[in-house]
């Protein structure tokens, strides 16, 4: 059986493609990277824990992919180019078949988005994956949650609720989605961070966040930071065919507003930048969808409209909460 150091070398070092700006990577006491002149460094960290963010039926390849994807989604929300990641991996045992699949998923997404694994640590204990990712953004151009203004248009980058629906189906809360099931599972296990879109939004979006804990929960961070409210048009929410064919209209709206793990971007754009946004996203197959507007408010509240009329909507919980939700939920 391989020891800690041979595991690192075999599964995480020898298969790694290194960027030119990595001066010292895996194998030393620390990594050394070169940041581009006149750029700011953006650093994010996310942890996935067995029994909380995934269960024992989740493929190891999917865990490797998703651990990186959720961090790249945070970088995307700040308009940053992903560059480097570090991995802290806690394993109950050295299962080499699991490690082979996990590392394959991790390396595949890193290669696709052009970032390098530059270091980390392995320990023994309950299965836990922590990634720290770093990216670069031109000086002073990072997107933040603070900056939304009354009158801004509110956008999301793609369909909402699919990952949450997949989780409900796998946990037998809803009947199977028939021909849509595999696509829903892929949305849950293999999210696609909106990296290119995030970089395109620099200088266009006033505020931005990624939807990890649910649209309402994450939009709430923008509203609180910006000291504004929002109005959402329910009939404008982007819903997949799987959602509309599996759930009732009311259920679909609730799922789109509260389910986590979609990793779409939610952002606001001023009226005078709407044309620029349309130009920047004209080539995209799935273009950002305008779902409402930011409004002046003393509190970070959200109101709803349906077919142009005020619509009272009561939701049990606005999104995922690590300390309230049952184990096995995702965020």
């Amino acid at each position: 059986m391989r020891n800690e150091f041979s595991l690192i070398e075999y599964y995480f070092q020898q298969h790694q493609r290194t960027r030119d700006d990595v001066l010292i990577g895996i194998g030393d006491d620390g990594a050394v990277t070169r940041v581009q002149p006149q750029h700011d460094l953006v650093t994010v960290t996310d942890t996935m824990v067995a029994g909380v963010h995934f269960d024992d039926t989740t493929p190891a390849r999917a865990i490797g992919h998703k651990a990186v994807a959720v961090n790249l989604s945070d970088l995307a929300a700040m308009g940053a180019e992903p560059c480097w990641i570090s991995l802290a991996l806690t394993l109950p045992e050295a299962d080499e078949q699991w490690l082979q699949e996990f590392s394959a998923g991790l390396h595949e997404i890193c290669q696709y988005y052009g970032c390098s694994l530059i270091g980390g640590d392995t320990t023994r204990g309950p299965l836990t994956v922590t990634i720290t990712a770093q990216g670069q953004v031109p000086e002073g151009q990072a997107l933040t949650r603070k900056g939304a203004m009354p009158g801004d248009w509110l956008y999301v980058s793609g369909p909402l609720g699919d990952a949450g629906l997949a989780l409900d189906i796998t946990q037998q809360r809803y009947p199977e989605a028939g021909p849509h099931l595999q696509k829903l599972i892929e949305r849950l296990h293999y999210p696609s961070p909106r990296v290119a879109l995030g970089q395109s939004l620099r200088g266009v979006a006033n505020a931005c966040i990624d939807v990890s804990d649910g649209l309402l929960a994450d939009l709430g961070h923008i509203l609180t930071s910006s000291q504004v409210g929002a109005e959402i048009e329910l009939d404008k929410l982007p819903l997949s065919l799987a959602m509309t064919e599996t759930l009732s209209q009311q259920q679909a709206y609730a799922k789109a507003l509260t389910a986590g793990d979609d990793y779409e971007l939610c952002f606001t754009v001023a009226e005078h930048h709407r044309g620029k946004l349309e130009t920047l996203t004209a080539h995209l197959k799935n273009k950002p969808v305008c779902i409402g507007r930011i409004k002046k408010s003393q509190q970070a509240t959200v109101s709803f409209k349906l077919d142009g009329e005020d619509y009272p909507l009561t939701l049990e919980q606005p999104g995922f909460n690590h300390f309230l939700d049952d184990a096995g939920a995702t965020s």
Side-chain angles (χ1 to χ4, degrees):
M1 181 171 293
R2 303 176 201 272
N3 61 29
E4 174 189 357
F5 302 107
S6 61
L7 283 174
I8 293 172
E9 181 179 2
Y10 186 77
Y11 290 107
F12 299 111
Q13 184 174 5
Q14 70 170 355
H15 303 292
Q16 176 66 15
R17 290 188 177 183
T18 304
R19 292 167 53 102
D20 293 339
D21 51 17
V22 178
L23 306 182
I24 299 175
I26 297 174
D28 219 303
D29 286 338
V32 179
T33 58
R34 179 178 288 118
V35 181
Q36 295 181 51
Q38 297 181 318
H39 277 67
D40 294 328
L41 183 68
V42 180
T43 302
V44 301
T45 301
D46 207 287
T47 296
M48 293 174 57
V49 181
V52 178
H53 301 90
F54 57 89
D55 59 26
D56 56 11
T57 67
T58 307
R61 184 180 292 258
I63 297 171
H65 173 101
K66 193 169 185 177
V68 177
V70 300
N71 282 274
L72 299 193
S73 184
D74 284 332
L75 292 178
M78 301 197 73
E81 171 205 354
C83 299
W84 316 289
I85 69 165
S86 297
L87 166 68
L89 181 61
T90 302
L91 297 167
E93 59 181 346
D95 182 338
E96 295 207 34
Q97 183 176 355
W98 188 94
L99 276 169
Q100 183 174 4
E101 288 298 306
F102 171 83
S103 62
L106 183 145
H107 289 314
E108 285 167 359
I109 187 170
C110 283
Q111 182 176 344
Y112 184 84
Y113 288 101
C115 56
S116 290
L117 175 64
I118 59 172
D121 190 26
T122 56
T123 56
R124 184 173 182 178
L127 181 56
T128 304
V129 184
T130 298
I131 296 279
T132 294
Q134 293 179 305
Q136 301 177 95
V137 62
E139 195 173 286
Q141 293 188 33
L143 302 173
T144 68
R145 303 172 179 184
K146 183 178 181 180
M149 301 291 292
D152 280 4
W153 295 96
L154 179 64
Y155 286 84
V156 291
S157 61
L160 299 171
D162 285 351
L165 178 57
L167 184 64
D168 284 342
I169 292 170
T170 59
Q171 296 183 345
Q172 299 182 334
R173 295 175 187 156
Y174 287 116
E176 287 193 10
H180 306 298
L181 180 59
Q182 187 56 43
K183 187 173 182 179
L184 289 172
I185 296 296
E186 288 178 3
R187 282 275 285 169
L188 174 64
H189 288 334
Y190 297 95
S192 300
R194 307 306 183 192
V195 171
L197 176 61
Q199 293 174 56
S200 298
L201 293 177
R202 296 192 299 240
V204 177
N206 281 343
C208 187
I209 193 170
D210 76 322
V211 181
S212 57
D213 293 329
L215 176 62
L216 288 184
D218 292 312
L219 172 59
H221 296 311
I222 288 181
L223 303 185
T224 299
S225 297
S226 303
Q227 298 183 314
V228 293
E231 182 178 81
I232 292 177
E233 298 180 53
L234 295 173
D235 49 321
K236 299 291 180 64
L237 290 172
L239 304 176
S240 69
L241 190 62
M243 285 279 285
T244 58
E245 291 191 350
T246 305
L247 304 181
S248 68
Q249 183 184 69
Q250 188 82 1
Q251 289 174 324
Y253 290 155
K255 188 62 63 182
L257 291 169
T258 63
D261 267 12
D262 287 315
Y263 299 101
E264 299 291 348
L265 297 183
C266 173
F267 57 96
T268 77
V269 175
E271 172 66 32
H272 65 274
H273 275 147
R274 290 191 80 187
K276 187 173 182 180
L277 174 66
E278 291 176 5
T279 300
L280 288 171
T281 59
H283 66 288
L284 297 179
K285 179 180 178 181
N286 297 313
K287 298 175 178 58
V289 177
C290 183
I291 62 169
R293 205 158 193 183
I294 299 298
K295 61 182 184 179
K296 187 175 181 179
S297 177
Q298 296 299 318
Q299 296 180 320
T301 57
V302 179
S303 60
F304 303 99
K305 284 187 176 293
L306 182 63
D307 297 325
E309 302 292 333
D310 291 340
Y311 187 83
L313 184 65
T314 302
L315 300 166
E316 293 182 4
Q317 191 172 307
F320 179 82
N321 186 312
H322 286 276
F323 300 100
L324 293 178
D325 288 18
D326 295 335
T330 57
S331 72

